[in-house]
Amino acid sequence: MSNISDNIKQVSTSLQQSAQQFHRSVDAIMLLAVSKGQSSHALRTAWQAGLSDFGENYLQEALEKMSALSDIKPCWHFIGPIQSNKTQDIAQHFSWAHAIERLKIARRLSAQRPEHLPPLNVCIQVNIDREASKSGVAAEHCLELALAINDLPRLQLRGLMIIPKQRGELDEQRQPYRQASELLASLKKSSAALASLDTLSMGMSRDMPAAIAEGATIVRVGTAIFGARTPPRP
Ligand SMILES: *Cc1c(COP(=O)(O)O)cnc(C)c1O
């Protein structure tokens, strides 16, 4: 546990080095602490070490941590796939949802977003490697979905999220991230309504520099901050 603040220093240093190397502004890259499988105590330690954004994949687990941490006010991101029966809680308790892939889910989130909260920030998950087993929309369906989501009153479409398959070297790792970056640029150009998209949620513990090199604005880092996690409850 005491390693967490050391880990955060290391990850922050590495983030800064990559930003410098690839001519990116550090301020334009959010370090999202992926906290699935971690205790609320671990999250509190990360908060005290300066992190303010947490990414959770499992609703029940996240809600428990939110109530254990109700004295602090982190920004909560839902980064897992979303089923219909979870939209209400996600709309009420989170600031971001990263893995939108269906209009039906987006419509429910918009309809269920409470009036007193700002619009829910969302990203479309793109299946950039076209893996049959992976979630996300195919790149060619992205524009249509983006335009439809953009019309929903209580969502703020921010950009794209990807989870590429594992690759070896930096140059290889950069490839799917470059595709995501180009796809975002093409969406912004295709329609004035999408010109303000500003988010690429991409890069994890194993490949953060590659994602930063290609324009990541949110890197989602779990293991490098918290160490190994306990597997999800069934
Ligand atoms: C678990 C997870 C991460 C973090 O992965 P690490 O390898 O632990 O950094 C990032 N994004 C998503 C969507 C995840 O589910």
Side-chain angles (χ1 to χ4, degrees):
M1 191 71 69
S2 60
N3 298 339
I4 290 177
S5 49
D6 291 340
N7 291 348
I8 290 172
K9 278 186 202 134
Q10 275 179 26
V11 171
S12 304
T13 303
S14 149
L15 190 155
Q16 282 161 20
Q17 285 169 348
S18 296
Q20 198 169 23
Q21 182 181 354
F22 300 112
H23 312 291
R24 301 278 321 281
S25 159
V26 177
D27 298 335
I29 307 165
M30 175 199 292
L31 176 56
L32 174 60
V34 173
S35 44
K36 60 170 178 242
Q38 307 297 343
S39 67
S40 47
H41 185 58
L43 273 70
R44 191 179 289 280
T45 305
W47 168 268
Q48 282 158 355
L51 298 189
S52 55
D53 288 74
F54 295 113
E56 292 280 342
N57 299 56
Y58 308 103
L59 180 62
Q60 209 47 48
E61 182 191 324
L63 294 176
E64 285 166 25
K65 287 179 218 177
M66 285 175 188
S67 66
L69 298 170
S70 60
D71 58 316
I72 58 175
K73 288 275 168 283
C75 183
W76 295 97
H77 300 236
F78 197 84
I79 62 172
I82 302 176
Q83 294 143 359
S84 297
N85 62 350
K86 304 284 162 64
T87 53
Q88 173 125 32
D89 276 318
I90 291 170
Q92 281 179 8
H93 297 287
F94 288 80
S95 298
W96 285 76
H98 288 233
I100 304 296
E101 53 175 343
R102 285 190 290 153
L103 185 56
K104 180 188 161 198
I105 296 294
R107 284 201 178 112
R108 289 176 64 96
L109 289 169
S110 180
Q112 293 168 337
R113 182 68 169 171
E115 280 303 325
H116 69 277
L117 296 176
L120 179 68
N121 295 296
V122 301
C123 294
I124 294 174
Q125 184 176 357
V126 184
N127 186 354
I128 214 91
D129 288 318
R130 301 176 166 281
E131 294 173 279
S133 61
K134 285 281 176 65
S135 9
V137 297
E140 65 270 25
H141 297 137
C142 210
L143 177 59
E144 192 189 348
L145 182 59
L147 289 169
I149 291 178
N150 201 55
D151 278 343
L152 296 172
R154 302 291 294 141
L155 300 188
Q156 181 77 51
L157 180 64
R158 298 295 299 269
L160 305 177
M161 181 270 220
I162 68 164
I163 309 174
K165 62 181 184 216
Q166 213 164 333
R167 291 167 167 83
E169 300 296 319
L170 180 77
D171 282 349
E172 249 185 291
Q173 289 178 352
R174 286 178 65 162
Q175 201 183 295
Y177 294 134
R178 184 171 322 125
Q179 284 171 258
S181 194
E182 288 169 359
L183 179 58
L184 182 71
S186 86
L187 294 179
K188 287 163 65 96
K189 254 203 256 165
S190 323
S191 163
L194 302 178
S196 61
L197 297 188
D198 60 2
T199 300
L200 285 169
S201 167
M202 60 191 198
M204 317 188 359
S205 297
R206 61 173 186 244
D207 59 6
M208 189 178 76
I212 290 173
E214 299 297 344
T217 62
I218 303 182
V219 288
R220 307 180 311 265
V221 179
T223 314
I225 290 174
F226 295 108
R229 52 190 162 246
T230 53
R233 281 169 286 174

